[in-house]
Amino acid sequence: VNVLRIHHVAFASGPADEPLGGHLDLLGLTCVHVEQGAGFVERMAPAGEGYLQLLEASGGRDVVSRFVERRGAALHHVAFEVDDIDGAIGELLAAGVRMIDAAPRPGGMGARIAFAHPSSFGGLLVELLEEGPSPTSSSS
Amino acid sequence: VNVLRIHHVAFASGPADEPLGGHLDLLGLTCVHVEQGAGFVERMAPAGEGYLQLLEASGGRDVVSRFVERRGAALHHVAFEVDDIDGAIGELLAAGVRMIDAAPRPGGMGARIAFAHPSSFGGLLVELLEEGPSPTSSSS
């Protein structure tokens, strides 16, 4: 697996929480992208080459809401960008890693993503992410 | 506050845990730096311009061990690199942020660091970090 960078670190909070206590701007960070997921809204705030991802759970029975119910607002996962997500998943499966997603699925911002089960990484929820074609590269 | 990048994201585990289930290498990551902290060992694995930091708690009464006792192995904090940590702390204090460290203290790899209290950032433990002089820049 060839990890290019930490693409984002995700912090999950509940529907009644103000993400980061409303203090994201104090860190000089700004959300540049908002997207609706399955049971959550994700907001992306760039910091250097990576992002802080704010997951706002809907409060339903989806996986992010259950995490927040159990843990409170907390860091949720780390997404590593890879150059070849299909190859990376194959390598992890061959090594005996339990994948939540055994094949890539669509993620935010046009990326292809796959989660590994935290039991395979000592409790860390690892996301693999391969970026989609950028708007500029498709026009060149 | 001028955040330059996510310097590291820290994952804490206990003395009996194998960090990341012993599978760090499966992600193509390698620890390049090991340092003893107050009640923990920290290991730094580069990923792009940032690091995954593995905190191995001693199992004593220090803050990292108590976190792991309460939460299990889990993501612990995010460190944002800033260009001026004294100025950044001043800005946060002026905005009413509760700082764990009201003045910078020495961190790993020669950095100066300061933690904000998670209550000020909706539950996220934020570390500010200003890098120390690099070995190369001091010789130039």
Side-chain angles (χ1 to χ4, degrees):
Chain A
V1 176
N2 183 25
V3 164
L4 304 176
R5 58 165 168 156
I6 296 175
H7 182 274
H8 64 261
V9 47
F11 181 75
S13 58
D17 302 325
E18 191 159 20
L20 258 61
H23 284 164
L24 188 64
D25 60 319
L26 276 185
L27 297 172
L29 303 182
T30 311
C31 288
V32 297
H33 182 82
V34 182
E35 194 162 337
Q36 180 72 46
F40 57 85
V41 175
E42 66 176 51
R43 295 183 173 82
M44 304 297 281
E49 69 177 13
Y51 297 86
L52 180 65
Q53 179 182 69
L54 300 174
L55 296 175
E56 184 186 325
S58 67
R61 296 310 305 158
D62 57 280
V63 63
V64 180
S65 297
R66 281 185 283 127
F67 173 89
V68 173
E69 210 171 276
R70 204 168 59 240
R71 296 252 186 161
L75 286 165
H76 186 261
H77 68 268
V78 180
F80 295 100
E81 188 189 349
V82 294
D83 52 2
D84 170 15
I85 194 170
D86 304 276
I89 292 171
E91 279 180 53
L92 293 187
L93 287 173
V97 168
R98 188 174 156 204
M99 296 296 297
I100 294 173
D101 304 299
R105 59 181 174 86
M109 299 197 297
R112 300 166 70 216
I113 65 169
F115 282 89
H117 198 277
S119 62
S120 287
F121 287 102
L124 176 62
L125 180 56
V126 170
E127 176 182 347
L128 302 177
L129 179 152
E130 184 185 311
E131 284 211 315
S134 69
T136 48
S137 69
S138 64
S139 66
S140 66
Chain B
V1 176
N2 184 24
V3 164
L4 305 176
R5 58 164 169 157
I6 295 174
H7 182 275
H8 64 260
V9 47
F11 181 75
S13 58
D17 302 326
E18 190 158 21
L20 259 59
H23 284 163
L24 188 65
D25 61 318
L26 276 185
L27 296 173
L29 303 181
T30 310
C31 288
V32 297
H33 182 83
V34 183
E35 195 161 335
Q36 181 72 49
F40 58 84
V41 175
E42 66 175 51
R43 295 184 173 83
M44 304 296 282
E49 69 178 12
Y51 297 87
L52 180 65
Q53 178 182 69
L54 301 174
L55 296 175
E56 185 185 325
S58 67
R61 297 310 304 157
D62 57 279
V63 62
V64 180
S65 296
R66 282 186 280 125
F67 173 88
V68 173
E69 210 171 274
R70 203 169 58 241
R71 296 253 185 160
L75 287 164
H76 185 262
H77 69 267
V78 180
F80 295 100
E81 189 190 347
V82 295
D83 52 2
D84 170 14
I85 193 169
D86 303 277
I89 291 172
E91 281 180 52
L92 294 187
L93 286 173
V97 167
R98 189 174 156 204
M99 296 296 297
I100 294 173
D101 303 299
R105 59 182 174 87
M109 299 198 298
R112 300 167 70 216
I113 65 169
F115 282 89
H117 199 277
S119 64
S120 287
F121 287 103
L124 177 62
L125 179 57
V126 169
E127 175 182 349
L128 301 177
L129 180 152
E130 184 185 312
E131 285 210 317
S134 69
T136 49
S137 69
S138 64
S139 67
S140 66

